[in-house]
Amino acid sequence: MKKLFIEQTADKVGQEVELYGWVNSKRDHKQIVFIDLRDRSGSIQIVGNESLKPLSPEDVIYVKGIVKERPKNLINEKMKTGKIEVEVNEFKLLGKAKTLPFPIDSDGSNIDEELRLKYRYLDLRRKRMLKNMLLRSSFIQEARDYFYRHGFIEIHTPVLSKTTPEGARDFLVPSRLQKGKFYALPQSPQQYKQLLMIAGIEKYFQIAPCFRDEDPRADRAYGEFYQIDIEMSFVEREDVMRMTEQMIIEVFEKLGAKIKQKPFPIFTYKEAMEKFGADKFDLRTEEDKKNNLQAFGWVIDFPFFEKTKEGGWTFTHNPFSAPLPAFKQQLLEKQNIESILTSQYDLVCNGFEVGGGSIRAHEPNVLETVFEIMGYKKEEVWEQFGHMLEALSYGAPPHGGIAPGIDRLLTCIAHEPSLREVIPFPLTSGGRTSIMEAPSEASQEQLAELGIAVKTKSRNKKVFDQIRELLDSHTIQYKILEHPPVYTSKDAAKIRGTELTQGAKALIMYGDKKPLMLVLPAHLSVDMKKFKMDRRMKDLRMATPQEVKKITGVEIGAIPPFGNLFEVEFYVDKKLGENKDISFNAGEHTKSIVMKYIDFERVTKPVILDFSTKI
Ligand code: ASP
C-alpha cells in the first residue's frame, strides 16, 4: 500500500522513501534522467540513470530512493518539494500511458467541452479540476460538520419514488414487477422531508441528489444536481433564514471565501423587481468582483400563485408552502388569489438563485386548498397527494426548510463560469453522460421484461411524416399546403399567401460547438451578440449547408421549426408568439404547414427567448 504522499517527503532528507505516482514530465540528459513525479498532493523531482529513459508522461510508476537535498543553485522555491529530490534505487512501471487526447497542464478552457467530458477521468487530472474536487469535498465536510454540531440528523430519502410537482419534468424509471407503471426520480426530497418532520425528527438534513428533466438553461445543470436539503420543525421563516445564513457564512469563510455583506440584505419580491428588474441580482461592484467577494441577498414575500397560459393558477415556487400568516384566511376563502403572498424565501448569490425554501402548509385544509386553487378537483388532490393530507392529520408540527444548491454555491466560491466545472461527472448540455454516453438503447430482453416497446424514430422516415405523426398524436389541427418548390422565406410567403411575419424561420447554428436550432419570424434576423451574451456562449456561428443536412436530414430552405425532432438545443424567439398562426416549410421545398402558434409551442416545448432584431 502507498504510505506516503509526495508532499510528505519534504522533511525526509536522508531517508529512503517509496513513492507512487504519475510521470508529469521527463528531462533526458544522456546518462542522467530527471522525472517530475506527480500525485494528488503535488510533485517531486526524481533523479535516475538511463533505465528511466523509456518512461513517458502519464506513465504510472513506483519509485524507491533516498531523499536528498538539492545543490543550492538548483533549488526551486516555488515548489513545496523544491529543496529536495529523490535519487532512485529501484523503480517499476505499473501502468503504461498512451498519449493523452489533450494536454492536462493547462486549465482546459480552450479544449472542446465534449472532448473533456468524454475523457473526464483525464480532465480531472488537471490542477484546476483537482482543486475543484477538493473544494467540493471540503464544502460538504464543513456543511456536515455544521449540521451535526447543531443537532441535525442526516437521513437518506428514496431515489426511486413517486412523481411530485416541483415545476420540472420527471425522469421516469419503468417497473418490471408492475409492468406499465413507473417510478419517478425525485425532483427534490420535498415530501419525504416533510414526512420526517411528522415522524418527529425535528431537524433533518441530507446531501440530496435531485433529478429534473429540464430544457437546457444556462444557469442550471441538466439532469441531476445536489442540494443541501434541510427541514426543521417549530420554526418561523426568520429562523430558517438565520440558520441557513449562519451555515453559509461559516462554511464559506472556512473555505477562504470573503462575503460582501453580513447579515445578508433582505429584499421583498416587489423591491427586488423595482430595483433590479428581476428576483435574482448581482450586488457586486466591479471592484468586488476583482476582489472575489461573494454577495448574498434574500428575497421574500413572493406572490404564491401566477396565472397559467390557459387562464388558471399555478404556484410560483412550491405548492407545499404555507401562505404568509396574514393571507391564510384569504387563501382558504380563495379570495384575491393574485395578492396572496407565500412564505417562500430565495437565497441569491452573485446574480444566481442558490437556494429556496419556505414554511410549509402543515394544516391539511391549507394544502388541499392550494391544489384546489390550481384547478385540481377534490378527488384528484386526494388521489395524488392523499398520503400527504393524511400524514398532516396525525399531529404535524409547524415546519419549514430550504435547499441550497451545492453545485451553484461551489461555482461562486471557485469563480468558475459553469456548474459543470465543479461536478465530477456532469452531463453534457445535450443531456449525455460523461464517458459512458448514456442514454443508450436497452436490449430487446430488457425491454420485454419491462413490457416496453420502443417506437423507433426511423431516420428513413421523412421529416414531413414525422411532423404529421407528432401533430396527429396530439390531435392538433393544421393545414398542409403543396406548392411549387420555394427556397426563400419571401417566396414561400408569397406562394402560400401568408404574411412574411408569420413564417417560422428555422436556423441551425453551432453555439460553443454544440448544434442548436433558433426559430424566429421570417422578417427578422438573429441578434447573435445578444443571444451569445444571454446564453453565456463564447462562440456562435451558422452551420454550413452540409452540417444542416447531417443534423436534420433536410435541405437548407426547407428546415421545419421542430428542433425537438432533431435532438438539438432548441430556442424560439418571443416575437414568433405574436402570431396566431405560423407557417413553415415542413421538411420539403414543396410542402408547407400552417398551424396555431400555441399548438406549436405546446408540442415542441422550446426555450422561449428574445433574440431577434430587424434585418
Ligand atoms: N424543495 C425545494 C426545492 O428543491 C426546496 C425547499 O423548499 O426546501 O427547490
Side-chain angles (χ1 to χ4, degrees):
M1 191 177 97
K2 168 167 170 165
K3 298 209 182 81
L4 201 64
F5 276 121
I6 280 173
E7 185 177 64
Q8 297 165 324
T9 47
D11 58 357
K12 302 242 171 340
V13 176
Q15 296 179 32
E16 186 177 63
V17 293
E18 292 185 298
L19 299 175
Y20 294 81
W22 285 258
V23 173
N24 204 37
S25 61
K26 185 181 76 173
R27 291 181 312 282
D28 211 329
H29 293 270
K30 297 227 170 88
Q31 283 98 349
I32 175 165
V33 177
F34 293 99
I35 299 274
D36 241 353
L37 185 68
R38 183 189 81 233
D39 74 2
R40 204 182 84 184
S41 70
S43 61
I44 190 167
Q45 178 156 291
I46 307 288
V47 194
N49 58 24
E50 286 162 327
S51 60
L52 298 180
K53 273 190 200 275
L55 292 177
S56 46
E58 299 308 304
D59 284 348
V60 176
I61 60 171
Y62 157 85
V63 174
K64 193 165 166 180
I66 308 286
V67 182
K68 299 220 157 142
E69 270 177 27
R70 289 194 202 182
K72 282 239 156 37
N73 56 338
L74 295 180
I75 285 178
N76 180 348
E77 291 291 352
K78 281 195 217 119
M79 276 173 83
K80 254 199 186 142
T81 58
K83 291 201 172 95
I84 52 168
E85 56 191 15
V86 171
E87 219 175 84
V88 180
N89 293 329
E90 197 185 321
F91 89 95
K92 261 189 243 148
L93 176 64
L94 302 176
K96 186 73 198 153
K98 291 200 290 189
T99 306
L100 268 43
F102 45 64
I104 55 164
D105 58 358
S106 66
D107 74 357
S109 50
N110 292 328
I111 303 167
D112 177 32
E113 196 185 21
E114 297 272 333
L115 189 67
R116 288 179 60 199
L117 293 181
K118 178 164 183 216
Y119 295 100
R120 186 58 147 187
Y121 49 93
L122 300 176
D123 191 53
L124 288 171
R125 286 186 191 172
R126 68 180 79 251
K127 269 205 186 109
R128 168 191 182 191
M129 298 311 284
L130 177 61
K131 200 167 133 225
N132 288 350
M133 294 307 111
L134 290 171
L135 181 73
R136 192 177 179 104
S137 171
S138 307
F139 181 91
I140 291 172
Q141 188 188 4
E142 294 297 351
R144 270 214 171 90
D145 183 58
Y146 180 92
F147 288 112
Y148 281 113
R149 269 190 282 116
H150 288 81
F152 284 76
I153 306 183
E154 184 170 11
I155 297 182
H156 284 159
T157 52
V159 170
L160 289 177
S161 179
K162 192 180 156 126
T163 164
T164 170
E166 206 95 24
R169 208 175 289 113
D170 288 320
F171 281 99
L172 294 179
V173 180
S175 157
R176 178 180 60 83
L177 296 178
Q178 295 187 47
K179 291 193 180 41
K181 297 203 170 156
F182 297 83
Y183 303 95
L185 303 182
Q187 292 188 28
S188 90
Q190 180 67 39
Q191 295 188 56
Y192 285 111
K193 67 173 170 176
Q194 289 193 242
L195 294 169
L196 287 172
M197 294 304 106
I198 299 170
I201 294 300
E202 299 197 29
K203 287 176 163 192
Y204 142 95
F205 88 99
Q206 177 183 198
I207 310 297
C210 303
F211 305 88
R212 296 182 191 178
D213 186 3
E214 282 175 311
D215 294 312
R217 270 176 43 183
D219 59 347
R220 297 256 172 119
Y222 174 77
E224 59 178 78
F225 60 96
Y226 279 82
Q227 290 182 343
I228 312 181
D229 200 45
I230 303 165
E231 198 74 7
M232 301 157 81
S233 293
F234 311 113
V235 284
E236 287 168 16
R237 169 171 85 170
E238 287 66 26
D239 300 315
V240 184
M241 288 167 68
R242 202 174 314 117
M243 188 286 304
T244 308
E245 186 164 325
Q246 256 177 29
M247 183 273 296
I248 296 266
I249 292 174
E250 192 179 305
V251 173
F252 265 58
E253 291 185 345
K254 279 200 172 150
L255 297 177
K258 284 172 279 173
I259 292 170
K260 178 179 163 90
Q261 193 181 343
K262 297 185 283 190
F264 302 164
I266 302 174
F267 303 89
T268 64
Y269 173 73
K270 194 162 162 277
E271 285 166 355
M273 293 308 283
E274 278 165 14
K275 214 168 152 148
F276 311 108
D279 56 2
K280 320 183 223 307
F281 37 77
D282 198 340
L283 296 169
R284 294 171 303 172
T285 59
E286 285 308 313
E287 188 65 21
D288 293 338
K289 286 184 193 167
K290 257 190 245 140
N291 295 326
N292 290 336
L293 292 192
Q294 310 296 326
F296 286 95
W298 289 102
V299 188
I300 57 169
D301 294 357
F302 290 93
F304 200 131
F305 299 98
E306 65 187 6
K307 271 248 182 297
T308 62
K309 273 199 193 120
E310 293 78 30
W313 294 104
T314 187
F315 59 91
T316 59
H317 286 78
N318 188 336
F320 296 100
S321 300
L324 285 178
F327 295 88
K328 180 172 152 190
Q329 203 48 38
Q330 195 177 321
L331 182 124
L332 288 172
E333 288 165 9
K334 303 181 190 164
Q335 294 297 318
N336 294 328
I337 290 170
E338 66 287 349
S339 68
I340 299 173
L341 299 182
T342 165
S343 58
Q344 176 82 21
Y345 26 82
D346 272 4
L347 183 62
V348 173
C349 180
N350 302 353
F352 293 99
E353 184 201 318
V354 292
S358 63
I359 299 300
R360 321 301 180 185
H362 80 288
E363 294 159 302
N365 61 333
V366 175
L367 183 61
E368 198 175 354
T369 311
V370 167
F371 284 111
E372 282 174 11
I373 289 175
M374 293 184 336
Y376 287 74
K377 298 206 188 73
K378 253 200 170 36
E379 315 81 75
E380 290 169 344
V381 180
W382 275 87
E383 200 182 294
Q384 287 197 44
F385 304 105
H387 56 277
M388 284 304 281
L389 295 172
E390 188 176 11
L392 290 173
S393 67
Y394 289 114
H399 61 283
I402 188 166
I406 293 180
D407 309 304
R408 173 58 64 199
L409 286 172
L410 282 169
T411 57
C412 290
I413 308 185
H415 312 291
E416 284 290 2
S418 148
L419 290 163
R420 289 189 287 274
E421 303 297 352
V422 298
I423 300 176
F425 296 102
L427 274 79
T428 67
S429 55
R432 298 186 72 75
T433 57
S434 338
I435 306 155
M436 288 184 230
E437 306 232 317
S440 56
E441 270 139 29
S443 70
Q444 277 313 318
E445 294 82 64
Q446 284 173 313
L447 291 176
E449 263 187 340
L450 295 168
I452 287 183
V454 175
K455 267 197 183 172
T456 42
K457 192 170 61 190
S458 141
R459 259 287 175 200
N460 306 331
K461 193 175 277 169
K462 285 198 166 151
V463 168
F464 177 70
D465 293 327
Q466 288 180 33
I467 297 173
R468 289 195 58 176
E469 234 169 56
L470 178 70
L471 298 180
D472 292 342
S473 71
H474 284 80
T475 55
I476 281 172
Q477 305 267 335
Y478 58 94
K479 216 161 54 197
I480 296 172
L481 305 176
E482 303 218 17
H483 46 69
V486 287
Y487 298 92
T488 65
S489 309
K490 272 205 187 110
D491 290 347
K494 211 190 274 163
I495 220 153
R496 294 180 200 131
T498 51
E499 294 294 330
L500 186 58
T501 47
Q502 71 178 91
K505 177 162 71 175
L507 303 172
I508 299 286
M509 301 200 153
Y510 278 88
D512 288 344
K513 308 215 167 90
K514 285 184 290 281
L516 1 139
M517 176 180 278
L518 264 57
V519 177
L520 69 168
H523 69 294
L524 298 176
S525 69
V526 177
D527 186 338
M528 307 261 277
K529 215 163 136 199
K530 175 158 191 305
F531 184 78
K532 253 173 30 185
M533 285 246 294
D534 286 352
R535 308 304 299 168
R536 293 162 208 259
M537 269 171 195
K538 284 203 202 98
D539 185 50
L540 181 69
R541 68 165 176 90
M542 294 290 281
T544 63
Q546 293 80 352
E547 287 169 335
V548 172
K549 177 89 202 221
K550 207 169 140 223
I551 292 167
T552 63
V554 175
E555 301 291 336
I556 213 156
I559 314 292
F562 283 65
N564 54 318
L565 291 180
F566 307 123
E567 284 151 15
V568 291
E569 283 184 26
F570 178 33
Y571 304 93
V572 168
D573 182 61
K574 217 165 81 183
K575 291 218 181 57
L576 190 65
E578 290 170 9
N579 292 298
K580 194 159 154 281
D581 290 330
I582 57 166
S583 48
F584 48 84
N585 274 67
E588 293 175 38
H589 293 291
T590 56
K591 286 194 178 111
S592 294
I593 284 180
V594 183
M595 65 183 290
K596 286 210 172 62
Y597 173 79
I598 197 158
D599 289 335
F600 164 74
E601 197 185 306
R602 183 156 66 87
V603 291
T604 60
K605 301 202 176 66
V607 180
I608 310 287
L609 283 177
D610 187 358
F611 55 76
S612 62
T613 179
K614 288 213 177 76
I615 289 181

